[in-house]
PDB file of all heavy atoms in Angstrom:
ATOM      1  N   THR A  40    -169.996 100.906 220.969  1.00 79.00           N
ATOM      2  CA  THR A  40    -169.000 100.800 219.900  1.00 79.00           C
ATOM      3  C   THR A  40    -169.676 100.781 218.540  1.00 79.00           C
ATOM      4  O   THR A  40    -170.588  99.990 218.327  1.00 79.00           O
ATOM      5  CB  THR A  40    -168.157  99.541 220.041  1.00 79.00           C
ATOM      6  OG1 THR A  40    -167.641  99.532 221.355  1.00 79.00           O
ATOM      7  CG2 THR A  40    -167.018  99.536 219.084  1.00 79.00           C
ATOM      8  N   ASN A  41    -169.197 101.644 217.624  1.00 65.00           N
ATOM      9  CA  ASN A  41    -169.657 101.670 216.241  1.00 65.00           C
ATOM     10  C   ASN A  41    -171.162 101.419 216.152  1.00 65.00           C
ATOM     11  O   ASN A  41    -171.621 100.361 215.706  1.00 65.00           O
ATOM     12  CB  ASN A  41    -168.892 100.593 215.435  1.00 65.00           C
ATOM     13  CG  ASN A  41    -169.195 100.725 213.948  1.00 65.00           C
ATOM     14  OD1 ASN A  41    -169.770 101.709 213.501  1.00 65.00           O
ATOM     15  ND2 ASN A  41    -168.841  99.717 213.191  1.00 65.00           N
ATOM     16  N   VAL A  42    -171.908 102.366 216.589  1.00 65.00           N
ATOM     17  CA  VAL A  42    -173.380 102.246 216.665  1.00 65.00           C
ATOM     18  C   VAL A  42    -173.911 101.948 215.288  1.00 65.00           C
ATOM     19  O   VAL A  42    -173.846 102.713 214.378  1.00 65.00           O
ATOM     20  CB  VAL A  42    -173.974 103.548 217.215  1.00 65.00           C
ATOM     21  CG1 VAL A  42    -175.485 103.468 217.203  1.00 65.00           C
ATOM     22  CG2 VAL A  42    -173.479 103.846 218.594  1.00 65.00           C
ATOM     23  N   GLN A  43    -174.445 100.725 215.140  1.00 65.00           N
ATOM     24  CA  GLN A  43    -174.985 100.319 213.822  1.00 65.00           C
ATOM     25  C   GLN A  43    -176.345 100.944 213.585  1.00 65.00           C
ATOM     26  O   GLN A  43    -177.131 101.095 214.534  1.00 65.00           O
ATOM     27  CB  GLN A  43    -175.107  98.791 213.781  1.00 65.00           C
ATOM     28  CG  GLN A  43    -173.810  98.009 213.898  1.00 65.00           C
ATOM     29  CD  GLN A  43    -172.895  98.278 212.725  1.00 65.00           C
ATOM     30  OE1 GLN A  43    -173.325  98.383 211.584  1.00 65.00           O
ATOM     31  NE2 GLN A  43    -171.596  98.454 212.989  1.00 65.00           N
ATOM     32  N   ALA A  44    -176.585 101.313 212.352  1.00 55.00           N
ATOM     33  CA  ALA A  44    -177.812 102.019 212.055  1.00 55.00           C
ATOM     34  C   ALA A  44    -178.950 101.057 211.742  1.00 55.00           C
ATOM     35  O   ALA A  44    -180.056 101.467 211.455  1.00 55.00           O
ATOM     36  CB  ALA A  44    -177.599 102.961 210.862  1.00 55.00           C
ATOM     37  N   HIS A  45    -178.708  99.767 211.803  1.00 59.00           N
ATOM     38  CA  HIS A  45    -179.708  98.828 211.340  1.00 59.00           C
ATOM     39  C   HIS A  45    -180.693  98.428 212.456  1.00 59.00           C
ATOM     40  O   HIS A  45    -181.830  98.124 212.220  1.00 59.00           O
ATOM     41  CB  HIS A  45    -179.049  97.582 210.771  1.00 59.00           C
ATOM     42  CG  HIS A  45    -178.079  97.918 209.668  1.00 59.00           C
ATOM     43  ND1 HIS A  45    -178.459  98.503 208.529  1.00 59.00           N
ATOM     44  CD2 HIS A  45    -176.763  97.728 209.585  1.00 59.00           C
ATOM     45  CE1 HIS A  45    -177.427  98.715 207.723  1.00 59.00           C
ATOM     46  NE2 HIS A  45    -176.339  98.256 208.376  1.00 59.00           N
ATOM     47  N   GLY A  46    -180.256  98.406 213.672  1.00 64.00           N
ATOM     48  CA  GLY A  46    -181.119  97.997 214.804  1.00 64.00           C
ATOM     49  C   GLY A  46    -181.747  99.178 215.477  1.00 64.00           C
ATOM     50  O   GLY A  46    -181.248 100.316 215.346  1.00 64.00           O
ATOM     51  N   PRO A  47    -182.788  98.971 216.231  1.00 65.00           N
ATOM     52  CA  PRO A  47    -183.439 100.089 216.946  1.00 65.00           C
ATOM     53  C   PRO A  47    -182.655 100.600 218.132  1.00 65.00           C
ATOM     54  O   PRO A  47    -182.819 101.745 218.538  1.00 65.00           O
ATOM     55  CB  PRO A  47    -184.791  99.488 217.374  1.00 65.00           C
ATOM     56  CG  PRO A  47    -184.566  98.027 217.439  1.00 65.00           C
ATOM     57  CD  PRO A  47    -183.536  97.718 216.401  1.00 65.00           C
ATOM     58  N   VAL A  48    -181.800  99.762 218.690  1.00 68.00           N
ATOM     59  CA  VAL A  48    -181.027 100.180 219.854  1.00 68.00           C
ATOM     60  C   VAL A  48    -179.642  99.630 219.770  1.00 68.00           C
ATOM     61  O   VAL A  48    -179.349  98.690 219.053  1.00 68.00           O
ATOM     62  CB  VAL A  48    -181.663  99.664 221.216  1.00 68.00           C
ATOM     63  CG1 VAL A  48    -183.037 100.267 221.418  1.00 68.00           C
ATOM     64  CG2 VAL A  48    -181.689  98.164 221.238  1.00 68.00           C
ATOM     65  N   ALA A  49    -178.725 100.293 220.527  1.00 73.00           N
ATOM     66  CA  ALA A  49    -177.361  99.788 220.668  1.00 73.00           C
ATOM     67  C   ALA A  49    -177.111  99.668 222.142  1.00 73.00           C
ATOM     68  O   ALA A  49    -177.366 100.599 222.914  1.00 73.00           O
ATOM     69  CB  ALA A  49    -176.384 100.761 220.043  1.00 73.00           C
ATOM     70  N   ALA A  50    -176.627  98.519 222.592  1.00 72.00           N
ATOM     71  CA  ALA A  50    -176.354  98.331 224.006  1.00 72.00           C
ATOM     72  C   ALA A  50    -174.857  98.466 224.268  1.00 72.00           C
ATOM     73  O   ALA A  50    -174.055  98.071 223.438  1.00 72.00           O
ATOM     74  CB  ALA A  50    -176.852  96.944 224.453  1.00 72.00           C
ATOM     75  N   ALA A  51    -174.549  99.051 225.423  1.00 73.00           N
ATOM     76  CA  ALA A  51    -173.131  99.125 225.774  1.00 73.00           C
ATOM     77  C   ALA A  51    -172.593  97.728 225.948  1.00 73.00           C
ATOM     78  O   ALA A  51    -173.318  96.821 226.373  1.00 73.00           O
ATOM     79  CB  ALA A  51    -172.964  99.943 227.063  1.00 73.00           C
TER      80      ALA A  51
END
Side-chain angles (χ1 to χ4, degrees):
Chain A
T40 307
N41 188 14
V42 177
Q43 297 295 321
H45 305 299
V48 296

